[in-house]
Amino acid sequence: MASSLVDTAAAANLCRLTAAGRRPARSFLNCACSSTDCRVSASYPIGRMLSGVRSAARKKLFRSDPADQLLGINSWSECGTDHHHWWTALENNFVLEASDDEYGGVVVDADRLPSDNAAFARSLAASLSYWKSVGKKGVWLKLPVHRAELVPLAVKEGFKYHHAEEAYVMLTYWIPDEPCMLPANASHQVGVGGFVINDQMQVLVVQEKYCGSSLDGAWKLPTGFILASEEIYTGASREVKEETGVDTEFVDVVAFRHAHNVAFQKSDLFFICMLRPVSSKIKIDETEIQAAKWMPLEEFVKQPFIQEDHMFQKVMDICIQRLRKCYCGLTPHHVVSKFDGRTSTLYYNVAEPEDVNCGAA
């Protein structure tokens, strides 16, 4: 906390306004007034960063706010080092709560936005001026869905849409007069297909309830999309379970496809996973699956949509080579990188013979 003895009338005036509720509920001031003076203490965690900011930048930041009248100051020229605590107090009250990111930008605290729309608009404009004056770069503004009315205010200020989820909209603002270096929205979606084959050389196949005309009546592998924060190997088993009711064990990734301009013009990564069944009873998900069954492998690969499509045919060739132990897939291994200190999954062919599941030389 920083405290300073200031002009009695000015401090008392501001303290009265605070007590009367004319300042925001999260007031930055602690007032202690006697018959002769008022002592005001103010907390300024961000304000300590402002010691080198030019007075012109300060004036610009609060150009629309009658701070001088509120404080009993006749002009900004009076705001020297003796009044730095007032600057800090004002800065805390008007600049949006935010934290620094590791790339020289800021992330606005979505849980501490002003409750009033007009106050948000003023604070946003003031914040951009302040962040520009101290050399910040990118600004990340996450607006919860229940504060959707703030989106037009941010767009009017120059923010651009980055991405949206069910519960929020993310907007960004690039401050420097140079090409934007903020990372773009996620460019890929990730899908999995489960090649499940039992000891009788039967493949678990499904007919989807909703599909394109090219797959009408075709029997295909169970497929689906990976969920957020889900591993490929767990997602493949989950999709098979959800669509067919069959429990499986993950074996390896035998191949993956990379396609572009798919759904919503995104790129698509699709992983073909070999799975071992640990149950056989089928119970379909009737919301998306028309039928499911165990089909002999030979019958499955003879379907026209496989024979007439080079990619499907190649995928089946790879799966068959894997069954013959003439091909090794990629198996998951948990590793920790010093780059971020996090555990992640690395898929690769193991080199140690005792660990090789496929038996290939």
Side-chain angles (χ1 to χ4, degrees), residues 31-106:
C31 301
C33 294
S34 67
S35 59
T36 59
D37 64 76
C38 277
R39 187 172 294 273
V40 181
S41 60
S43 173
Y44 51 99
I46 303 177
R48 293 189 180 95
M49 300 167 56
L50 297 176
S51 57
V53 178
R54 299 187 304 273
S55 60
R58 300 182 183 185
K59 185 186 297 185
K60 180 181 178 182
L61 178 58
F62 296 105
R63 61 188 181 276
S64 61
D65 190 89
D68 52 343
Q69 299 176 16
L70 197 61
L71 303 180
I73 299 172
N74 293 326
S75 69
W76 279 97
S77 61
E78 298 179 21
C79 295
T81 55
D82 291 340
H83 295 91
H84 178 66
H85 64 285
W86 285 122
W87 160 253
T88 356
L90 284 171
E91 180 274 320
N92 260 351
N93 200 48
F94 288 95
V95 174
L96 293 172
E97 296 286 346
S99 58
D100 293 341
D101 65 20
E102 55 185 316
Y103 304 107
V106 294

Side-chain angles (χ1 to χ4, degrees), residues 224-238:
F225 290 107
I226 294 293
L227 304 176
S229 302
E230 184 178 40
E231 298 283 358
I232 292 172
Y233 61 89
T234 55
S237 293
R238 175 189 55 77

Side-chain angles (χ1 to χ4, degrees), residues 163-192:
H163 69 275
E165 295 291 343
E166 184 177 354
Y168 69 87
V169 173
M170 180 69 77
L171 300 103
T172 59
Y173 188 102
W174 182 249
I175 296 176
D177 186 18
E178 58 188 43
C180 179
M181 298 299 292
L182 295 178
N185 183 25
S187 59
H188 286 65
Q189 61 181 12
V190 180
V192 288

Side-chain angles (χ1 to χ4, degrees), residues 11 23 61 94-95 119 149 163 172-173 209 261 285 319 346:
R23 303 298 290 167
L61 178 58
F94 288 95
V95 174
E149 75 277 2
H163 69 275
T172 59
Y173 188 102
K209 184 170 291 188
N261 296 319
D285 176 9
C319 290
L346 183 66

